[in-house]
């Protein structure tokens, strides 16, 4: 009896008149940011063999914002990015890109095609290909199999790659194999790949690790200039760097948000000082 | 050329090397012996050995190499049916001559091949007769490796047994892949099948490497030859030499030759073989005898024809007679198959067979089985006027291809 | 203590180190600095014996290291914390630390069955993580593990390649403290590659500036002035 | 009743006669008739001998049954061939006195065939019904179950009341019941009781008897028989399941042995070791050579062969590692190529040294035969030992890898070679030892396999694919996975085989593995963690 | 259409050996063919039919190696089961040739192949229908391997089966097919397979002209497939494929659905293998389940490795060279050739890690050490 009802129910559900079947809805690539918000992360939970890496995490990021994400090692920053970009499945929670795109039911490629770009903590580039090819592969184009097979570089695309090469300072190395770059150069190449992809939302994990102070400064400038048109989320432990770019800072701790606010607010937050900054951070920062 | 070239087309590596290497050595021994006697037609013989490496297409390629590059006058070669089938078109195209020394499923007769091994009627049928008449067997397990020789043989046997009134439920058929090594369940099934009140025997067309684990399992599960005798068509002295035969004493094999048969010719052959291989433990077996007979007949035919020309030798071959190593005379028939005696032997604990039964006189090899619907009307006769390997006696035509 | 004489090194066809000379005093903390790609990591690997050098000489206590394999150098007392940490990812934290125990027992002559408690005093987080896979740890935790792992060897020279990359500020400070403490208490010689000036200044006693595979300036850390920084570290 | 008394007298007479006969030599005329008799004519002679000589003829029958009866060509006297510490000696059949100075040339074998053997077995059983040892008596009764004729039954009936041993008595009772059940001249109620009694037995002969009774004219008998059969079938089925499970475990243990070495060289070290099969083969050939060296101590040869095989294969493994694999670190795919080349070379090497023919490896007596639990369930001893052995090897290996530093070091080396070096791990040594260990264990597997299958140049080829399949199915780098995979594949195959046949079962298992890997792309026990992604 | 021609005329640096290679290949083919057809048999330059057939076989293997290299060298998918696609292509051709025998089989049955007659089959199984039409059979020779590759690849790549797991699964695939085709019930002739072919498209298979034509067609197709593959792999598609080989998950994060790329490349590779198989069968005259043997598939990988993984020319040269070595070794030293072949594999791995093409590149680099860097710019 109830089984019967269930069938009827599910039949009704299937043929609801107020809804279209998912496969009939036109693929939406436009990001709806009507209410200013581009990324909603709500009640995110994730554990690895019992270890809670994300714990009821909530995060809201406005369109065009440059958001800094800090937090102790192991707080879950990288894991959060993994969930947003589809690398890791979360246990529960919601992640929306704009108002319409539920990121949790999309795979990595779909998410990337929506315009979410990512730079990894450990630089990963295509080592066996030239710096140029690395950038070409990242260009914002149709990434389907057939279009890729028949595509050729347009002059504008070549200009774009050249421009990026100049920005990341690898113009001289354009035909070098990416694998032969030093650690810092790979960092730059990865930033370049992000730029070439021209994403809407950039997730940048520790961009200045291994960079000299001057390079760090340059990166700061670059990221600040990107914000506005794009949304940028940066994870970094270099407080100096964070201070130089940050408007809003979110502090994660043990998988959830510990504090959020301006740099000054954060720096004077007792909790943050205790678990993250340490007592002498401010003093040390001022030294330079 | 100033030598007569003898091609040897046996696998020296790969899965079949186990069996075929022996035949290569046999041919080499025969060539050496013939040369000591002064060769043929005043020329020395020269053996050309190639290795088709148990790779079936390679048999065709190497066959072609032997015929066109080396220009051999005759080939001794092949063991598996598939390797023969592979080289066959090449032999026919280039009009070569090959001697095939292994028992096989029949259903073939080529102008260019002489079959010196047993056809099913020279091995399988007499063996089953023996089981039914002498051992009062009423149930049969037909166990074989899954390929054409066992399949065909079992088809023939099935038809034959049914014609003899054996019920379908008293016939169990089982196939296993090449090199099957885990026989526990099958042997246990056989044991069960045999334990149902009627005298049961296993007719084994299990080939090659699978035999040793099969017999080991038989021994260990305690199936004795008195309870359930196994009669095999592909297990000879050489296969037994890899086995501890104590638990297997009394199981049977049907062949045209056993090393244990006492005759002067055989003693001499065995002695020569041991000397040639410099191994006093080496055994002889049926395909070796078949190679021996084939070689002798060929040598005689060449002498008779006075040439190594294939067509002439082919005609001279028919009717050739050569003494068997086990006594009696083998005759080459018009269908390119031999008339040979059929022997049934029991395995002894020294790895030899004791003959327990033999046919009166010789049995003529039948190229086309009378027990298969497709071939019961076919005969093979390579003499004029028929000159056809597959002559249909009903329609009076040479069905299929005409060479 | 360690002296490096005219070392040339090539990757395939490209030369990275060009007749590099370097002298490390016992008990010093030497900070090696230079832009990305000048060959700092390459130099450290050459000292550790993980990269073959083409010519030149590396000695420790006057003994040539050149012909020694890397594992021998570990027994001689060099501890190495590589850039990128190189944790054994599928081993647990404990196993990562245990790897060095045989060397330690050889060097200290006592044969410890267990990881020295000192490591956990320096990096308490490792104690909590003892049974987790090294590869699962966050970057900062891995960094602490890498340093702890090198310390298990009870080294006399500790080589650190950008140990603060990706480390939270209070731990950065802690690592600095650890280095200073080990140096002061145990007389540990430290070779440190560091980009962050603040840290370099706080921890380093000496500096060496590298440019295109050569040492171009070396002095006490106090003497690292803006002009040098501008010349060799600015982009 | 008179019958019985007569028979008893007869029996006593026979016994006393045999006591007497044992002292003097049996009738020579009959014995010489044996020499040179045609196989067909031998049965009557033997019958006569049995009837006249009774138990005294047993030694002759036993020797003849074993195929060890010879006669001396010179004087046509009978001798038995015996094996004493590797030497063939000939003894007088009855007095067991060694006949000196006889060589193989001086004697000739007296042949036996199946028919004769069948007769001999039965005759021996008849005589042995009165043997001293209860085991012998029991097996004699069981032997006779298949051929219960009036005489035998009378004999058993006479012996039954005085039989002291419970098991023998039971067996005798069974024989009597079988006879009673089939005796049409008996009252049906007695037959029904007999049938009832039969329904508790699992003997095959009992089932045959009951099956025959299904054709009886009396419907009550038929019904009882069918019920009894039903009963038996139910019990037998339960044992059949155990049987099948054992087959599965046994196949699993073979797979485990074959793949466990690979689980180290491939699973832990990451070398795609195509020469793994040849390491097994070397172990098997080592067993052969060991038996060649100590032909008189076959029973102990295995204990020598196991360490020897471990050393031979292990050293070969070390050699391969030092000469080839060492140069291929970080290039796992190339190890496939090089080890494939090595496997070709090793195969051809044994072909050259030992010939392409299979070599004979004997089974020690303690490993032959089977452990008969009941008439429908018997486990073959060699497989039982191999199963235990496989588990033992597995446990030993786990201990080595868990409790010694080798285990830790090899994992470290395989995960990050240069960092391991920097931590003072002697990577060269670790590599050589690990590869040697994996190869050595493959060699041990070869010893076990030599007891089951061909010892020939292709032995390795037969197992290499299965080994890789097992390791991958279990999850690369996980020893427990290898164990579980081996046993589950073994059991699955054996439970499929009865319905599908061996070929189809193999195909189904392969397809299953392919589909399973879609569900779990890293095998049964995948490596977990961030780094595994 | 214009896009297509444009695409073909494109081509970048990597193809700089393409033209000379194709020219050499085709010239040699023409010369050998002419030498066989037009020179008298006793001429010094005469190329025997045996050699032509042998060369034809080598070229089929070369095509197969090309297929393996595309998937392994460029995409990092080590297939240990490419023999399966080759064999399926071969069986399709074999079935066609079998049907062409018509009533000239030994039993003279116009409909059923001989093996079916003596196994007492009454009618042609459904999958044999239509195989008497050449073009349909040829379609099957590419479609069947293609579909198998698609289904297998779709399952495996979508569930992210990679590395050795994938390799062993491909091995399981070909092994399962091996066992299946051994079964006589399957209707493919069991262990004996299909043989005794008479003619193809009405041409006598044993005629020299037919053999030479088959040889030339093989060479031509090899050249075409080589060029097409070269183009595909130097397109952006090719770069994506390389990216997948070196860092698959990274490629996903920049928006490529790597599973689809892999599936289509796998299908393409399987189709090439199928074509190679279809060309192979009429030239060697038999197809049987042995072609499915996993060892065969491993050997293919070795040809590629010997020639140089990741270079199409290397794969072709490797296949021809290894097989030539096999032919020579088995004839020169029938008892010891495995030593030579085994040693060759070991030595190549040790001393030529990038295969023969790597050696060639090294030699070229030595000859003009300075130029390389700039010439790319
Ligand atoms: N695949 C995984 N398996 C097990 N644990 C994991 C996995 N991925 C992440 N973790 C755990 O989740 C926690 C959060 O890690 P995460 O890398 O997100 O930290 P983080 O904030 O990026 O730190 P850092 O600043 O050091 O990079 C860590 O404790 C880590 O051990
Ligand atoms: N495996 C390699 N093959 C070829 N060239 C390399 C390799 N590794 C590094 N290089 C090159 O050697 C140079 C020095 O590299 P190295 O890693 O020593 O730099 P670094 O000073 O440590 O830089 P960073 O501060 O970025 O870590 C770089 O230009 C790099 O391109
Ligand atoms: N012809 C055989 N035995 O294959
Ligand atoms: Mg992180
Ligand atoms: Mg560095």
């Amino acid at each position: 009896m109830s089984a019967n009802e269930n069938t009827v129910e599910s039949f009704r559900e299937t043929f609801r008149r107020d809804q279209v079947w998912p496969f009939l809805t036109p693929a939406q690539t436009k990001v709806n940011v009507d209410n200013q918000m581009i990324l909603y992360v709500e009640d995110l939970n994730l554990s690895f063999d019992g270890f809670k890496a994300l714990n009821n995490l909530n995060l809201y990021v406005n369109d065009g914002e440059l958001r800094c994400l800090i937090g102790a090692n192991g707080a879950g920053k990288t894991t959060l990015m993994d969930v947003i970009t589809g690398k890791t499945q979360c246990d529960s929670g919601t992640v929306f890109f704009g108002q319409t795109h539920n990121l949790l039911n999309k795979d990595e490629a779909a998410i990337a095609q929506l315009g979410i770009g990512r730079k990894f903590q450990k630089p990963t580039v295509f080592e066996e290909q030239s710096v140029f090819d690395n950038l070409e592969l990242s260009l914002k184009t149709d990434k389907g199999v057939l279009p890729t097979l028949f595509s050729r570089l347009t002059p504008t695309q070549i200009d774009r790659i050249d421009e990026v090469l100049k920005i990341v300072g690898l113009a001289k190395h354009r035909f070098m194999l990416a694998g032969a770059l030093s650690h810092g150069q790979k960092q730059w190449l990865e930033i370049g790949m992000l730029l070439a992809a021209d994403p809407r939302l950039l997730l940048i994990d520790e961009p200045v690790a291994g960079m000299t102070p001057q390079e760090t400064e340059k990166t700061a400038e670059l990221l600040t200039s990107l914000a506005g048109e794009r949304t940028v989320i940066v994870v970094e432990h270099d407080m100096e760097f964070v201070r130089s770019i940050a408007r809003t800072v979110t502090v994660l701790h043990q998988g959830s948000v510990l504090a959020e606010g301006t740099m000054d607010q954060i720096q004077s937050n007792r909790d943050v000082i205790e678990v993250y900054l340490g007592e002498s951070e401010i003093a040390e920062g001022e030294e330079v | 050329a100033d030598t007569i070239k003898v091609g040897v087309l046996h696998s020296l590596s790969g899965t079949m090397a186990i069996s075929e290497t022996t035949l290569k050595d046999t041919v080499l021994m025969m060539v050496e012996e013939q040369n000591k006697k002064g060769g043929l037609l005043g020329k020395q013989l020269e053996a050309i050995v190639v290795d088709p490496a148990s790779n079936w297409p390679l048999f065709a390629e190497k066959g072609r190499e032997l015929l066109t590059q080396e220009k051999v006058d005759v080939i001794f070669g092949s063991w598996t049916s598939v390797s023969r089938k592979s080289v066959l078109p090449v032999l026919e195209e280039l009009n070569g001559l090959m001697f095939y020394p292994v028992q096989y499923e029949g259903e073939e007769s080529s102008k260019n091949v002489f079959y010196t091994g047993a056809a099913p009627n020279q091995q399988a049928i007499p063996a089953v007769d023996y089981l039914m008449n002498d051992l009062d067997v009423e149930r049969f397990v037909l166990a074989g490796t899954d390929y054409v020789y066992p399949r065909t043989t079992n088809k023939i046997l099935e038809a034959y047994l049914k014609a003899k009134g054996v019920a379908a439920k008293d016939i169990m058929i089982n196939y296993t892949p090449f090199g099957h090594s885990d026989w526990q369940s099958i042997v246990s099934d056989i044991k069960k099948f045999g334990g149902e009140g009627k005298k049961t025997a296993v007719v084994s067309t299990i080939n090659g490497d699978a035999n040793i684990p099969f017999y080991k399992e038989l021994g260990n599960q305690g199936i004795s030859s008195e309870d359930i005798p196994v009669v095999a068509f592909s297990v000879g002295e050489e296969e037994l030499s890899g086995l501890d035969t104590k638990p297997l004493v009394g199981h049977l094999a049907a062949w045209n030759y056993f090393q244990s048969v006492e005759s002067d010719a055989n003693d001499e052959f065995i002695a020569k073989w041991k000397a040639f291989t410099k191994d006093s433990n080496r055994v002889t077996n049926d395909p070796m005898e078949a190679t021996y007979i084939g070689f002798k007949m060929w040598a005689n035919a060449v002498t008779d024809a006075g040439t190594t020309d294939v067509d002439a030798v082919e005609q001279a071959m028919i009717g050739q007679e050569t003494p068997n190593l086990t006594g009696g005379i083998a005759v080459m028939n018009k269908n390119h198959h031999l008339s040979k005696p059929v022997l049934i032997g029991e395995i002894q604990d020294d790895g030899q067979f004791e003959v327990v039964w033999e046919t009166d006189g010789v049995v003529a090899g039948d190229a086309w089985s009378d027990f298969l619907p497709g071939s019961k009307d076919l005969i093979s006769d390579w003499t004029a006027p028929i000159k056809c390997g597959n002559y249909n006696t009903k329609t009076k035509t040479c069905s299929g291809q005409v060479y | 203590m360690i002296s490096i004489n005219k070392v040339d090194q090539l990757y395939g066809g490209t030369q990275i180190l060009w007749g590099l000379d370097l002298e490390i005093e016992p008990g010093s903390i030497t900070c090696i600095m230079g832009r990305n790609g000048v060959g700092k990591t390459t130099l450290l690997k050459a000292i550790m014996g993980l990269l073959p050098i083409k010519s030149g000489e590396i000695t420790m206590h006057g003994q040539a290291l050149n012909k020694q394999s890397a594992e021998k150098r570990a027994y001689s007392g060099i501890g190495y914390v590589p850039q990128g940490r190189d944790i054994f990812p599928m081993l647990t934290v404990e196993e990562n630390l245990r790897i060095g125990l045989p060397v330690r027992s050889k060097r200290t002559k006592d044969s410890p069955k267990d990881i020295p408690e000192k490591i956990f005093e320096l990096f308490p987080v490792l104690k909590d993580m003892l049974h987790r896979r090294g590869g699962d740890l966050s970057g900062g935790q891995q960094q602490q593990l890498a340093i702890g792992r090198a310390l298990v060897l009870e080294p006399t020279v500790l080589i650190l390649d950008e140990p603060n990359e990706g480390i939270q500020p209070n731990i950065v400070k802690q690592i600095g403290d650890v280095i200073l403490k080990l140096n002061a208490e145990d007389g540990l010689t430290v070779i440190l590659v560091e980009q962050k000036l603040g840290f370099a200044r706080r921890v380093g006693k000496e500096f060496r500036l590298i440019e295109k595979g050569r040492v171009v300036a070396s002095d006490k850390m106090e003497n690292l002035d803006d002009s040098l920084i501008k010349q060799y570290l600015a982009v | 009743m008179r019958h019985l008394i007569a028979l008893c007298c007869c029996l006593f007479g026979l016994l006393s006669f045999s006591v007497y006969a044992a002292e003097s030599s049996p009738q020579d005329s009959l014995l010489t008739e044996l020499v040179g008799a045609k196989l067909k004519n031998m049965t009557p002679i033997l019958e006569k001998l049995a009837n006249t000589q009774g138990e005294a003829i047993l030694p002759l029958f036993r020797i003849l049954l074993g195929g060890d009866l010879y006669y001396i060509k010179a004087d046509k006297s009978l001798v038995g061939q015996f094996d004493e510490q590797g030497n063939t000696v000939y003894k007088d059949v009855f007095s067991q006195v060694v006949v000196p100075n006889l060589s193989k040339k001086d004697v000739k074998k007296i042949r036996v065939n199946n028919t004769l053997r069948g007769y001999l077995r039965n005759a021996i059983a008849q005589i042995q019904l009165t043997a001293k040892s209860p085991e012998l008596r029991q097996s004699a009764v069981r032997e006779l179950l298949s051929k219960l004729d009036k005489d035998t039954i009378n004999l058993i009936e006479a012996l039954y009341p005085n039989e002291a041993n419970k098991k023998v008595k039971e067996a005798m009772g069974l024989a009597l019941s079988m006879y009673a059940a089939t005796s049409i001249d008996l009252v049906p109620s007695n037959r029904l009781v007999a049938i009832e009694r039969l329904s508790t037995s699992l003997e095959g002969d009992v089932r045959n008897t009951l099956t025959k009774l299904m054709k009886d004219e009396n419907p009550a008998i038929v019904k009882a028989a069918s019920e009894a059969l039903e009963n038996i079938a139910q019990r037998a089925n339960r044992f059949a399941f155990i049987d099948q499970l054992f087959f599965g475990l046994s196949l699993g243990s073979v797979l485990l042995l074959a793949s466990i070495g690979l689980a180290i060289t491939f699973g832990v070290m990451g070398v795609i070791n195509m020469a793994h099969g040849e390491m097994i083969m070397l172990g098997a050939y080592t067993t052969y050579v060991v038996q060649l060296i100590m032909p008189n101590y076959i029973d102990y040869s295995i204990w020598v062969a196991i360490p020897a095989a471990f050393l031979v294969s292990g050293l070969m493994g070390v050699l391969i590692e030092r000469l080839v694999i060492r140069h291929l670190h970080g290039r796992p795919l190339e190890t496939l190529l090089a080890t494939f080349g090595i496997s070709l070379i090793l195969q051809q090497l044994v072909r050259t040294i030992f010939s392409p023919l299979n070599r004979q490896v004997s089974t020690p007596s303690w490993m032959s035969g089977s452990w008969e639990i009941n008439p429908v369930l018997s486990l073959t001893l060699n497989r039982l030992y191999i199963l235990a052995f496989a588990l033992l090897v597995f446990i030993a290996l786990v201990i080595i890898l868990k409790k010694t530093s080798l285990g830790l070091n090899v994992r470290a080396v395989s995960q990050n070679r240069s960092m391991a070096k920097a931590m003072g791990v002697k990577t060269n040594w670790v590599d050589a030892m690990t590869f040697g260990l994996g190869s050595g264990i493959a060699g041990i597997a070869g010893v076990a396999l030599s007891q089951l299958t061909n010892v020939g140049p292709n032995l390795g080829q037969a197992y290499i694919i299965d080994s890789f399949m097992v390791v991958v199915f279990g999850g690369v780098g996980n020893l427990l996975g290898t164990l579980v995979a081996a046993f589950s594949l073994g059991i699955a195959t054996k439970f499929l085989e009865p319905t599908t046949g061996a070929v189809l079962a193999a195909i189904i298992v392969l397809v299953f593995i392919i589909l399973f890997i879609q569900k779990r792309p890293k095998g049964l026990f995948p490596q977990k963690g961030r780094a595994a992604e | 259409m214009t896009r297509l021609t444009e695409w073909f005329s494109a081509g970048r640096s990597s193809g700089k050996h393409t033209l000379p290679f194709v020219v050499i290949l085709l010239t040699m083919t023409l010369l050998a063919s002419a030498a066989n057809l037009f020179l008298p048999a006793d001429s010094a330059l005469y190329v025997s039919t045996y050699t032509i057939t042998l060369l034809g076989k080598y070229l089929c293997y070369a095509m197969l190696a090309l297929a393996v290299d595309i998937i392994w060298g460029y995409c990092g998918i080590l297939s240990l089961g490419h023999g399966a696609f080759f064999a399926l292509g071969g069986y399709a051709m074999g079935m066609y040739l079998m049907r062409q025998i018509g009533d000239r089989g030994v039993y003279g049955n116009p409909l059923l192949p001989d093996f079916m007659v003596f196994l007492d089959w009454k009618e042609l199984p459904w999958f044999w229908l239509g195989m008497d039409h050449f073009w349909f059979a040829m379609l099957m020779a590419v479609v069947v391997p293609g579909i198998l590759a698609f289904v297998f690849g779709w399952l495996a790549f979508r569930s992210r089966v990679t590395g050795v797991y994938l390799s062993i699964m491909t091995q399981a695939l070909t092994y399962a097919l091996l066992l299946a085709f051994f079964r006589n019930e399957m209707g493919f002739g069991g262990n004996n397979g299909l043989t005794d072919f008479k003619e193809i498209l009405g041409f006598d298979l044993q005629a020299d002209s037919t053999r030479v034509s088959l040889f030339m067609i093989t060479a031509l197709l090899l050249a075409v497939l080589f060029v097409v593959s070269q183009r595909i792999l130097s397109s952006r598609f090719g770069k994506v494929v390389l990216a997948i080989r070196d860092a698959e998950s990274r490629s996903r994060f920049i928006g490529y659905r790597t599973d689809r790329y892999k599936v289509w490349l796998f299908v393409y590779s399987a189709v090439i293998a199928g074509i190679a198989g279809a060309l192979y069968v009429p030239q060697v005259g038999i197809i049987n389940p042995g072609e499915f043997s996993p060892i065969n598939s491993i050997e293919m990988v070795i040809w590629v490795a010997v020639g140089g993984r990741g270079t199409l020319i290397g794969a072709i040269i490797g296949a021809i060279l290894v097989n030539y070595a096999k032919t020579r070794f088995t004839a020169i030293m029938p008892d010891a050739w495995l030593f030579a072949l085994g040693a060759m594999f070991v030595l190549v791995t040790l001393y030529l890690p990038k295969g023969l093409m790597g050696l060639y590149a090294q030699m070229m680099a030595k000859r003009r050490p300075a130029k390389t860097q700039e010439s790319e710019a």
Side-chain angles (χ1 to χ4, degrees), chain D residues 369-383:
Chain D
S370 45
W371 173 32
E372 230 173 279
I373 297 169
N374 65 36
V376 292
L377 182 65
S378 56
L379 309 180
T380 47
L381 284 178
N382 61 347
R383 291 190 176 269

Side-chain angles (χ1 to χ4, degrees), chain D residues 187-215:
Chain D
V187 272
S189 67
N190 282 359
R191 293 180 68 195
L192 286 177
V193 171
I195 290 173
E196 176 81 41
R197 166 98 175 65
L198 289 183
S199 73
T200 58
S201 166
L202 288 169
E203 291 286 351
D205 294 318
V206 168
R207 259 181 302 162
N208 293 339
T209 310
L210 288 172
T211 314
K212 278 192 200 118
L213 285 180
M214 299 290 284
K215 291 195 198 104

Side-chain angles (χ1 to χ4, degrees), chain E residues 245-326:
Chain E
R245 180 187 72 187
D246 296 333
E248 179 170 358
S249 92
R250 186 72 178 92
S251 324
R252 281 199 287 264
F253 286 111
I254 53 179
Y256 296 102
R257 290 189 187 280
T258 56
D259 47 344
R260 293 191 190 165
Y261 281 79
K262 283 167 49 169
V263 170
W264 287 116
L265 197 71
F266 197 57
V267 170
Y268 175 68
S269 167
V271 165
I272 294 182
I275 296 174
L279 288 165
Y280 171 83
V281 169
Q283 300 189 68
V284 303
I286 181 171
I287 176 79
N288 79 356
E291 301 296 340
F292 285 105
S293 140
I295 296 293
N296 280 16
S297 294
I298 291 172
E299 254 186 54
M300 292 160 204
V301 172
I302 288 178
W303 306 337
V304 175
V306 167
R309 172 188 176 201
T311 59
L312 295 182
I313 296 181
I316 292 173
I317 290 176
I320 295 176
L321 209 82
V322 173
N323 282 292
Y324 176 71
K326 266 175 95 166

Side-chain angles (χ1 to χ4, degrees), chain A residues 73-74 206 210 215 238 276 280, chain C residues 36 138 166 168 170 173 196:
Chain A
N73 293 125
E206 307 202 12
E215 285 178 314
D238 186 333
Y276 185 67
S280 62
Chain C
N36 287 138
S138 79
Q168 68 189 74
N170 53 352
K173 177 161 183 306
K196 301 280 177 284

Side-chain angles (χ1 to χ4, degrees), chain A residues 183, chain C residues 40-41 83 161-162:
Chain A
H183 184 76
Chain C
K40 305 180 292 291
T41 300
Q83 186 167 27
D161 198 349
E162 309 205 17

Side-chain angles (χ1 to χ4, degrees), chain D residues 54 96 104 226 251 291 441:
Chain D
Q96 304 281 317
K104 275 196 176 148
S226 88
L251 178 59
Q291 292 198 346
I441 287 184

Side-chain angles (χ1 to χ4, degrees), chain E residues 324-372:
Chain E
Y324 176 71
K326 266 175 95 166
T327 307
R328 292 301 302 155
F329 290 168
T330 45
I332 300 170
M333 37 181 168
D335 288 311
W337 67 277
L338 278 173
F339 287 129
L341 197 72
M344 177 174 142
F345 293 158
V346 174
L347 294 178
V348 165
T349 329
L350 289 184
Y351 297 107
L352 300 177
K354 293 195 170 150
L356 294 169
M357 285 310 279
L359 182 72
Y360 171 79
Q362 240 177 13
M363 276 159 36
M364 285 329 239
K366 263 198 202 122
R367 210 188 288 171
R368 30 167 201 168
K371 260 180 78 183
T372 34

Side-chain angles (χ1 to χ4, degrees), chain C residues 76-101:
Chain C
S76 313
I78 308 183
Y80 178 55
V81 180
Q83 186 167 27
R85 297 142 201 150
D86 283 359
I87 294 301
F88 302 110
M90 306 307 286
L91 300 189
T92 62
V93 169
E94 183 181 359
E95 287 169 332
N96 265 283
L97 293 170
R98 294 191 81 92
I99 289 280
L101 285 182

